[in-house]
Amino acid sequence: DGGITQSPKYLFRKEGQNVTLSCEQNLNHDAMYWYRQDPGQGLRLIYYSQIVNDFQKGDIAEGYSVSREKKESFPLTVTSAQKNPTAFYLCASSDKRGSYNEQFFGPGTRLTVL
Amino acid sequence: GQSLEQPSEVTAVEGAIVQMNCTYQTSGFYGLSWYQQHDGGAPTFLSYNALDGLEETGRFSSFLSRSDSYGYLLLQELQMKDSASYFCAVTRGQNFVFGPGTRLSVLP
């Protein structure tokens, strides 16, 4: 089955530590995205990538970093510079065949920083 | 800047029809999408409007008026499983801006 996987589902870290969230897709999609969702809020775009080895900052990129070395993978690192990292993180992908209109989301990672 | 507005909550009874509105102010507008998200889950795509008018997919319909910067999602024959949050999202080429979402509660 094609889809997007994110691991782990729940993640706990101590304040001041960097942490990397995994996102893998086997849909052969060109574009991948990272969003942050806080309780009762909408999704805010952190970073997105339209092609391998290229990525763009979204609306709230400060304190985060990404890489896109392979088409299937788009890991997100939450650095110690991110002031309020506790949130629900969602990875998504889309494809030019659908004119990028439809996004497919992974199950999310809930990060708690203690 | 970019901003989208949605009512925070809507309540309706099973079998009824509900309309959830979305207004937006954004540059580089390509179209308006709608997503459903159940508590603790991932958003799932419902519909996309690039042109003015109504798009229908089963019990779900979505409307767009570009001149009014306004759209809505219409759900008919409400079921308990429709209780979820519904987000509108503006497509700007290859990235998206999401609204704050409307939480729909369906009562028996």
Side-chain angles (χ1 to χ4, degrees), chain B residues 19-24 29 32 34 52 63-73:
Chain B
Q19 177 176 315
M20 290 175 281
N21 299 322
C22 173
T23 58
Y24 60 88
F29 177 87
L32 190 70
W34 289 90
D52 287 1
F63 172 83
L64 175 65
S65 169
R66 296 175 71 114
S67 59
D68 295 323
S69 298
Y70 163 77
Y72 66 73
L73 181 70

Side-chain angles (χ1 to χ4, degrees), chain B:
Chain B
Q2 326 276 348
S3 70
L4 290 85
E5 292 186 4
Q6 298 181 254
S8 57
E9 295 182 8
V10 171
T11 301
V13 296
E14 217 173 354
I17 299 172
V18 69
Q19 177 176 315
M20 290 175 281
N21 299 322
C22 173
T23 58
Y24 60 88
Q25 290 184 322
T26 183
S27 58
F29 177 87
Y30 279 64
L32 190 70
S33 302
W34 289 90
Y35 288 80
Q36 178 192 61
Q37 185 182 32
H38 288 99
D39 286 346
T44 55
F45 174 81
L46 293 175
S47 67
Y48 174 74
N49 294 67
L51 303 174
D52 287 1
L54 192 68
E55 296 281 344
E56 299 181 58
T57 308
R59 296 188 297 116
F60 294 76
S61 302
S62 56
F63 172 83
L64 175 65
S65 169
R66 296 175 71 114
S67 59
D68 295 323
S69 298
Y70 163 77
Y72 66 73
L73 181 70
L74 190 74
L75 277 67
Q76 303 183 68
E77 300 172 16
L78 279 175
Q79 302 175 8
M80 298 296 291
K81 67 179 182 179
D82 296 329
S83 292
S85 293
Y86 293 83
F87 297 92
C88 60
V90 166
T91 303
R92 308 177 295 185
Q94 293 181 28
N95 68 47
F96 303 79
V97 178
F98 281 78
T102 296
R103 186 174 183 87
L104 171 65
S105 298
V106 180
L107 304 178

Side-chain angles (χ1 to χ4, degrees), chain A residues 9 33 35 37 40-43 45 48 50 59 88 90 100-103 105-107 110, chain B residues 33 35 37 40-45 48 87 91-101:
Chain A
K9 189 172 178 64
Y33 310 80
Y35 292 92
Q37 187 175 32
Q41 305 294 314
L43 283 70
L45 183 64
Y48 65 102
Q50 300 170 5
D59 300 315
F88 187 43
L90 287 156
Y100 298 103
N101 299 326
E102 178 178 356
Q103 290 199 302
F105 284 85
R110 197 168 296 278
Chain B
S33 302
Y35 288 80
Q37 185 182 32
T44 55
F45 174 81
Y48 174 74
F87 297 92
T91 303
R92 308 177 295 185
Q94 293 181 28
N95 68 47
F96 303 79
V97 178
F98 281 78

